Amino acid sequence: MPERIILIDSNSLIYRGYFAIPPLTTTKGELSNATFGFASILLKAIEEIKPQYIAAAFDLPQKTFRHERDATYKATRKPMPDELRPQFERCKELLNKFGVPIYALPGFEADDVIGALAKQAEAAGLESIIVSGDLDTLQLVTPHTKLFTTRMGFQNTVVYDEAQIDQRFGLRPDQMVDFKALKGDATDNIPGVPGVGEKTAAKLIAENGSIEGVYADLTRFTPKLRENLAGHQDQVFRSREMATIVTDLPVTLDVQAARFRDYDRAGVLELFRELEFRSLIPRLPPADGNLAPAKPPAARPGQLALGLDPEPTNAPTVATTVVAPEDAAGLAERLRAARSIAVHADVDVGRHPVLIGLGIAVSDEAARKMVREYDEAGAHRMIFLARQPGNEFLTDLEQIAHKFITPA
């Protein structure tokens, strides 16, 4: 089996994460949803593909040769949101800590750079897996190049090889650019033929081989389709030119620099803790000779930590009782009558926070013991509430008890 290289389409993944994942902010107020999505898909790709090499490509802010050919190219796109710019730097920081080389070329897009790198990787005997948030690079798929992409949001992924492309579209990879020329691409403002959607475009190319084959004899089609095809013939060929990824570029893949082995695991840990990516930490791959944990961040008084510190090796036990549904009413009554209680919320604070468990201590001594022991264990997720007149937390407590304990 040949060695594998992951080629990361960075811009598409960052944008995909920004729009697919609800806004996530750290306790310091830093927006991190795009960074989280990028890091998550990168770790998923590493885990599933198990690459020996990784390289990343980025777009540059200046215009490309496609803009010079057609001023309307991507003209409908909105400018990058201001709050997204810092997340691009965070993603580059993550790649640097993973030791991943970054490629970009003035006048060309990341897809072009990836096309050139994939071509060189194949010549070097490597299997390339392009990791992207869109399907633009399907045209690059060969027996030695595949596309690993997201679908249905950001949680699920699919790998496109030649067979998968045929299964979904009924086409070969080299026909995908002709397919795109007929149906158009609203994202890049590449026009297609009016009335020709994905199914019609796929059928036309599958039956005729190419757009040249489609235009060889328009009399075979319905009057409306024939009219639309004839009236937009020049545009279709221009659209194919705009959609074609250029692979002969002045960029060279440094295979040794892309070797994925020892990386700054401590640095990645520190970055994940700073960004409060608790759920991603267990997914980090090992780094030979570099397994030292990062120093935990200094505690911030009055702030609820998110469980990013290393878990204690010997956490003290606290006696617990599982409350059955029929006991819920009695427990709620005891909570209301208690002078003080302690609540421990065990929460997975990933992309979609989930309450895993709720611990409640009712008696004064149990409450103090629960707070003390969990604090000593380093969990720092305790909420101590005392029943006092005007206690502002009391209503919240009763709502918590009703929502998570009282049966519907």
Side-chain angles (χ1 to χ4, degrees), residues 7-21:
L7 300 174
I8 304 170
D9 184 4
S10 304
N11 286 66
S12 72
L13 291 175
I14 295 171
Y15 267 96
R16 184 75 176 222
Y18 178 77
F19 288 108
I21 300 174

Side-chain angles (χ1 to χ4, degrees), residues 386-400:
R387 174 177 283 279
Q388 297 174 356
N391 190 330
E392 62 180 339
F393 295 107
L394 183 58
T395 301
D396 294 338
L397 171 63
E398 292 179 346
Q399 290 175 351
I400 290 173

Side-chain angles (χ1 to χ4, degrees), residues 174-373:
D174 62 287
Q175 294 175 313
M176 293 306 299
V177 67
D178 289 53
F179 162 76
K180 192 172 186 177
L182 285 177
K183 78 176 187 66
D185 184 348
T187 302
D188 291 340
N189 200 34
I190 295 176
V193 176
V196 175
E198 182 171 305
K199 290 183 179 180
T200 302
K203 184 174 184 293
L204 288 171
I205 298 301
E207 293 178 351
N208 298 280
S210 65
I211 56 177
E212 284 86 356
V214 171
Y215 281 98
D217 182 10
L218 296 181
T219 62
R220 298 165 294 160
F221 307 126
T222 64
K224 184 62 175 178
L225 179 57
R226 182 167 63 246
E227 178 185 352
N228 287 337
L229 286 170
H232 297 83
Q233 181 172 351
D234 291 342
Q235 173 188 287
V236 167
F237 282 88
R238 285 197 303 271
S239 292
R240 183 173 66 176
E241 181 182 355
M242 296 296 290
T244 299
I245 292 175
V246 179
T247 59
D248 293 323
L249 300 181
V251 60
T252 302
L253 174 64
D254 187 337
V255 176
Q256 292 309 311
R259 170 73 73 172
F260 182 64
R261 44 192 173 197
D262 297 347
Y263 71 94
D264 185 7
R265 192 171 193 273
V268 175
L269 280 169
E270 186 175 7
L271 178 62
F272 279 5
R273 288 179 178 135
E274 183 180 352
L275 294 173
E276 300 167 5
F277 292 168
R278 172 178 175 261
S279 62
L280 298 185
I281 290 178
R283 296 170 54 189
L284 283 176
D288 295 339
N290 191 16
L291 296 174
K295 295 181 180 179
R300 297 185 288 273
Q303 201 167 67
L304 194 65
L306 297 180
L308 292 171
D309 296 327
E311 294 293 331
T313 54
N314 295 304
T317 59
V318 176
T320 59
T321 301
V322 178
V323 179
E326 58 269 18
D327 297 330
L331 176 58
E333 185 176 347
R334 290 178 60 198
L335 291 175
R336 294 187 179 94
R339 291 191 304 168
S340 61
I341 69 170
V343 178
H344 170 241
D346 189 4
V347 180
D348 181 347
V349 292
R351 187 162 62 249
H352 301 290
V354 175
L355 182 72
I356 298 173
L358 191 69
I360 299 178
V362 177
S363 69
D364 289 353
E365 179 56 32
R368 285 193 293 272
K369 183 173 185 291
M370 193 174 184
V371 172
R372 181 177 63 255
E373 293 189 350

Side-chain angles (χ1 to χ4, degrees), residues 46-112:
I46 292 173
E47 179 182 2
E48 296 187 4
I49 298 170
K50 297 178 174 54
Q52 287 75 42
Y53 306 89
I54 306 178
F58 277 84
D59 291 333
L60 292 174
Q62 55 261 48
K63 295 185 182 300
T64 69
F65 76 94
R66 292 182 178 86
H67 295 93
E68 295 176 357
R69 290 180 180 176
D70 187 347
T72 67
Y73 180 65
K74 293 187 176 181
T76 55
R77 285 195 180 186
K78 296 181 180 179
M80 181 188 295
D82 290 338
E83 62 268 23
L84 181 56
R85 296 181 188 279
Q87 297 195 67
F88 267 81
E89 298 308 312
R90 283 297 202 181
C91 292
K92 291 178 181 179
E93 182 181 355
L94 176 62
L95 290 172
N96 287 332
K97 292 182 184 300
F98 267 119
V100 175
I102 295 174
Y103 291 84
L105 191 64
F108 297 90
E109 298 179 49
D111 286 350
D112 300 312

